[in-house]
């Protein structure tokens, strides 16, 4: 096993927090995520046969051993499916050993799966000299998750993991994957973004995510548009009777969230953090009431943060658990954490975990193949 210790290539990729623009990537909207400091690392080594071996530093006694010929979309498994899916979606035809390590909190809605896919994708791109662009790698990582793993995610998480830059949030146009960096420096204004992992269940694979996507697609089709990107709020409201109550609510979230995201970029450029906080909170209300993907733990984290001075707070990610964010004055962070922990305790929720993160760099190659 000593050959695991001398990789040809090392690549790493971050998890993400989405500042605003939730559940609109698959409606071709605008999203504003940033990469977090927590990263997944993939060490890759070429083999001279067709075998694939995968292991994780967190579970050194378990080695997944398979081969290129055995790659099969839809097969059963655990975390290794994300790695196998990327090997499959990139069309790799030679054997490889991959060792994974990292500190992206698992199950916290901070996109540890995209971090894993993107670290492997960037590493394979280097190892096999594929010459794929970051945008192509994002699309192939999404394909791995959609088809190989069977999770119908959008393109936000993979894009930010591959294309983010330190110090900025990434405005991503999910229609053409064009990006604009938006400087995001809370510290200079005495603020911090608190990430609250509620430790409630994240139900992305359980069908609710797919139902939301379907509602947006059927609303678009009834409105004769290619996606909800193509309609403004007043027109949607005027066309309300064409949609079911559920479709209208889902579309109302998507269309209003797209407008909020662009407004958030404008206020961020003016460093108007009070206005940013309001938009963040409006996003939560819309996700809670129109999109109906929040849960008591997320609502509790948001409500307690707002009641104790946060400028804004909302759930992030797929919903039904995972994390919330709160825009908090630095000198109030400990107090807000304490109040949330106390409230979780009195509601008999699991003990929350807290993180903070500066906007960090996207995926990187830290050891290159010497040619
Ligand atoms: C999950 C998905 F993977 C993303 O594509 C996105 O839809 C997000 O939920 C909600 O904004 O993270």
């Amino acid at each position: 096993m000593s050959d695991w210790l001398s990789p040809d290539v090392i690549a790493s990729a971050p998890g993400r927090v989405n500042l605003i623009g939730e559940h609109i990537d698959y409606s071709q909207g605008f999203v504003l995520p940033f990469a977090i400091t927590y990263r997944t690392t993939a060490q890759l080594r070429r083999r001279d046969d067709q075998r694939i071996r995968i292991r994780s530093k967190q579970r050194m006694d378990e080695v997944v051993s398979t081969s290129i010929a055995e790659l099969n979309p839809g097969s059963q498994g655990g975390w290794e499916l994300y790695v196998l899916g990327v090997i499959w979606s990139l069309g790799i035809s030679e054997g490889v050993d991959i060792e994974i390590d990292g500190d992206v909190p698992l199950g916290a809605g901070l996109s540890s799966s995209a971090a894993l896919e993107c670290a492997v994708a960037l590493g394979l791109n280097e190892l096999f000299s594929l010459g794929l662009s970051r945008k192509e790698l994002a699309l192939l990582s999404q394909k791995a998750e959609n088809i190989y793993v069977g999770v119908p995610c959008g393109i936000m998480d993979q894009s930010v993991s591959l294309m983010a830059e330190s110090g900025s949030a990434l405005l991503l146009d999910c229609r053409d994957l064009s990006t604009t960096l938006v400087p995001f420096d809370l510290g200079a204004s005495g603020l911090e973004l608190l990430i609250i992992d509620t430790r409630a269940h994240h139900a992305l694979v359980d069908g609710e995510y797919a139902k939301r996507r379907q509602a947006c697609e059927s609303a678009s089709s009834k409105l004769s548009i290619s996606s909800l990107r193509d309609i403004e709020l007043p027109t949607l409201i005027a066309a309300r009777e064409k949609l079911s109550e559920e479709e209208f609510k889902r579309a109302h979230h998507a269309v209003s969230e797209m407008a909020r995201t662009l407004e958030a970029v404008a206020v961020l450029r003016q460093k108007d953090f009070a206005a940013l906080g309001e938009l963040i909170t409006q996003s939560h209300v819309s996700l809670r009431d129109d999109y109906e993907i929040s849960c008591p733990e997320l609502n509790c984290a948001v409500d307690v943060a707002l009641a104790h001075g946060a400028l804004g707070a909302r759930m992030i990610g797929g919903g039904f658990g995972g994390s919330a964010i709160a825009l908090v004055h630095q000198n109030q962070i400990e107090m807000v954490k304490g109040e949330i922990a106390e409230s979780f305790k009195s509601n008999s929720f699991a003990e929350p975990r807290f993180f903070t993160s500066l906007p960090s760099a996207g995926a990187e190659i830290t050891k290159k193949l010497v040619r």
Side-chain angles (χ1 to χ4, degrees), residues 16 22-23 25-26 153-157 209 317-318:
R16 62 95 187 94
E22 209 65 87
H23 274 271
D25 54 351
Y26 50 79
C153 65
I155 190 64
M156 172 173 73
D157 302 344
Y209 184 92

Side-chain angles (χ1 to χ4, degrees), residues 21 53 56 67 82 159 166 181 206 219 259 301 337 355:
R53 290 189 309 168
S56 152
S67 69
Y82 294 86
S159 300
S166 154
L181 292 171
D206 290 349
K337 282 189 200 172
F355 307 97

Side-chain angles (χ1 to χ4, degrees), residues 142-348:
Q142 182 198 23
K143 182 178 172 186
E145 188 157 342
N146 287 171
I147 299 177
Y148 202 97
V149 188
V151 176
C153 65
I155 190 64
M156 172 173 73
D157 302 344
Q158 294 80 5
S159 300
V160 63
S161 186
L162 283 156
M163 297 192 262
E165 286 189 26
S166 154
S168 293
L170 187 79
L171 175 65
L172 173 74
D173 179 342
C174 298
R175 174 162 274 176
D176 60 10
L177 298 195
S178 58
T179 58
T180 310
L181 292 171
V182 183
F184 182 47
D185 181 7
L186 293 176
S189 302
L191 294 166
E192 205 165 305
L193 199 76
L194 178 64
I195 303 165
I196 308 128
D197 172 15
T198 63
R199 304 181 88 165
H201 175 57
H202 194 284
L204 200 59
V205 280
D206 290 349
E208 289 300 320
Y209 184 92
K211 280 191 207 157
R212 298 304 182 282
R213 264 193 96 139
Q214 277 153 18
C216 290
E217 282 159 15
S218 69
S220 301
S221 139
K222 289 185 185 172
L223 295 165
S224 307
I225 50 177
S226 67
S227 78
L228 292 171
R229 168 76 172 269
D230 292 329
I231 193 165
E232 301 286 326
L233 203 52
T235 320
L236 173 69
I237 291 169
R240 184 176 189 148
E241 76 285 355
K242 291 189 183 162
L243 305 177
S244 70
E245 183 59 23
E246 185 184 317
E247 286 163 346
F248 177 75
K249 284 171 87 173
R250 308 302 186 241
H252 189 270
H253 163 72
V255 176
S256 64
E257 184 78 352
M258 289 186 208
R260 276 189 292 274
T261 304
L262 293 180
E263 223 180 310
V265 172
V267 300
L268 200 51
R269 289 195 190 286
Q270 293 157 9
K271 297 198 174 8
D272 184 348
F273 293 114
L276 178 68
E278 274 172 35
L279 290 165
I280 287 175
T281 305
Q282 283 169 22
S283 168
H284 181 75
V285 171
S286 180
L287 289 159
R288 184 192 66 198
D289 298 347
D290 278 346
Y291 227 59
E292 298 178 282
I293 56 167
S294 192
C295 65
E297 292 89 342
L298 286 166
N299 294 337
C300 176
V302 166
D303 293 345
V304 173
L306 291 174
H308 292 86
L311 298 185
R314 70 177 197 87
M315 55 150 286
I316 60 165
F320 306 103
S323 292
I325 53 171
L327 189 55
V328 180
H329 290 284
Q330 278 167 348
N331 59 7
Q332 295 182 331
I333 282 274
E334 290 310 316
M335 179 269 293
V336 171
K337 282 189 200 172
E339 293 291 343
I340 293 173
E342 195 50 45
S343 195
F344 268 51
K345 203 170 177 182
S346 59
N347 279 293
S348 305

